[in-house]
Amino acid sequence: MAEQNLKSHRRYHPWHSFVVQPILIINLGVEIARALKDPAAHVWPVILAFALAVFSFTSRGMSLRAQDRVIRLEERLRLYQLMPGEHALVDTLRPGQLTALRFASDDEVVALARRASSGDLQKGEAIKKEIKTWRPDYLRV
C-alpha cells in the first residue's frame, strides 16, 4: 500500500462514492421529472428514490460514526498506557482530537495530546498537520 500522510489519508470507496450514489441521485432526478409529467402515477417512485438516496448517504455516516467510537476507545487506551497518571488529561480530549491522534506515532502522541488538551491544538486537522511520523490507518471504512 502507498504511504499514508496528511494529503493521502482520506479514504473513498469508489463503488459507493462514484457509482452507487450518483446512480441514486440520477434516479431521483428521473423520478421527479416523471412525476412532474404525471403526478398521479409517479408519486410513490419519487418517495422511494428519495429514501434510497438518503439511505445511501446516512449508511456511510453511521458506519463512520461507529468506527470513530472504536477509534476513540483505542486511542484512550493507548494514551492511558503511554501517559500513566494523566487519565484526567486524556479524558479532556474531544472526539475529533482523539480520532486525529491515531495517526501520531507513540513517540509524539503524548506531546500532541498535551497540546490538544491545553487548547493549543483545537481541531483534528491542526493535530494532523503537526504529526512528523505518520502512523497509517489502512482499515478506515
Side-chain angles (χ1 to χ4, degrees):
M1 292 193 162
E3 184 178 326
Q4 252 184 26
N5 57 44
L6 179 63
K7 292 181 182 176
S8 69
H9 77 286
R10 289 188 176 22
R11 176 121 185 223
Y12 293 98
H13 290 277
W15 283 106
H16 182 78
S17 299
F18 306 117
V19 177
V20 173
Q21 286 182 329
I23 288 171
L24 290 174
I25 291 169
I26 291 167
N27 180 58
L28 177 59
V30 167
E31 293 302 332
I32 289 171
R34 290 165 107 184
L36 291 173
K37 290 180 184 175
D38 185 6
H42 294 286
V43 171
W44 183 249
V46 169
I47 294 169
L48 185 58
F50 177 75
L52 287 171
V54 169
F55 176 72
S56 173
F57 286 97
T58 58
S59 65
R60 175 93 171 123
M62 287 184 277
S63 62
L64 288 174
R65 189 163 293 130
Q67 181 167 287
D68 284 347
R69 290 181 63 134
V70 173
I71 290 168
R72 290 192 326 256
L73 174 62
E74 289 174 342
E75 287 309 303
R76 275 195 203 98
L77 290 173
R78 177 179 161 207
L79 289 169
Y80 288 162
Q81 290 175 339
L82 294 172
M83 302 170 71
E86 296 185 71
H87 293 186
L89 182 144
V90 173
D91 292 338
T92 66
L93 296 170
R94 292 189 312 276
Q97 292 171 317
L98 285 165
T99 55
L101 284 168
R102 79 181 181 280
F103 294 113
S105 67
D106 286 353
D107 293 336
E108 60 187 324
V109 72
V110 171
L112 289 171
R114 287 183 180 133
R115 287 180 63 197
S117 177
S118 73
D120 186 30
L121 298 171
Q122 293 283 326
K123 304 272 185 196
E125 200 65 24
I127 292 169
K128 292 177 198 175
K129 287 178 182 176
E130 293 294 315
I131 295 172
K132 306 289 185 260
T133 306
W134 197 267
R135 184 173 158 242
D137 179 2
Y138 296 113
L139 299 176
R140 184 83 173 146
V141 170

